[in-house]
Amino acid sequence: MNKTEFITSVAEKSGLSKTDAKKAVDAFIETVSDEMKAGGKVSLLGFGSFSISERGERKGVNPATKQTITIPARKAIKFKAGAELNEKVQ
């Protein structure tokens, strides 16, 4: 499912117009993105939680040259599914 299909589904299930559903989906994405950028966590009971994980600097190997390289530290976004979502999927 892509974003357009997602917006259509949200519109159908909520009774909103596609324009209002698009605004709601865009607001959700922006809100989660802003909170992640600030280093926070977003928890949606029954759905799951988005959080930031710090990955330290580490050594790696370039597969083409077999040369050892240093992979820089970075932040990664993690999503942990909630219990209700896990039950629906299984």
Side-chain angles (χ1 to χ4, degrees), residues 10-21:
V10 169
E12 290 172 0
K13 292 181 181 192
S14 66
L16 296 171
S17 68
K18 284 188 182 180
T19 304
D20 289 339

Side-chain angles (χ1 to χ4, degrees), residues 68-82:
T68 303
I69 58 173
T70 301
I71 301 169
R74 68 182 188 98
K75 294 179 182 178
I77 297 174
K78 290 174 36 178
F79 175 76
K80 182 177 179 187

Side-chain angles (χ1 to χ4, degrees), residues 59-90:
K59 298 289 181 186
V61 177
N62 180 335
T65 63
K66 308 294 185 215
Q67 185 177 16
T68 303
I69 58 173
T70 301
I71 301 169
R74 68 182 188 98
K75 294 179 182 178
I77 297 174
K78 290 174 36 178
F79 175 76
K80 182 177 179 187
E84 288 180 34
L85 180 59
N86 275 328
E87 287 177 16
K88 286 181 181 182
V89 172
Q90 296 191 21

Side-chain angles (χ1 to χ4, degrees), residues 11-73:
E12 290 172 0
K13 292 181 181 192
S14 66
L16 296 171
S17 68
K18 284 188 182 180
T19 304
D20 289 339
K22 182 181 184 324
K23 288 178 186 176
V25 169
D26 288 344
F28 171 78
I29 292 169
E30 185 178 345
T31 301
V32 172
S33 299
D34 289 346
E35 188 62 23
M36 294 291 97
K37 188 174 182 178
K41 180 178 179 179
V42 177
S43 296
L44 304 171
L45 190 60
F47 181 70
S49 61
F50 298 89
S51 61
I52 297 289
S53 173
E54 298 280 343
R55 297 209 174 154
E57 187 177 273
R58 60 192 172 97
K59 298 289 181 186
V61 177
N62 180 335
T65 63
K66 308 294 185 215
Q67 185 177 16
T68 303
I69 58 173
T70 301
I71 301 169

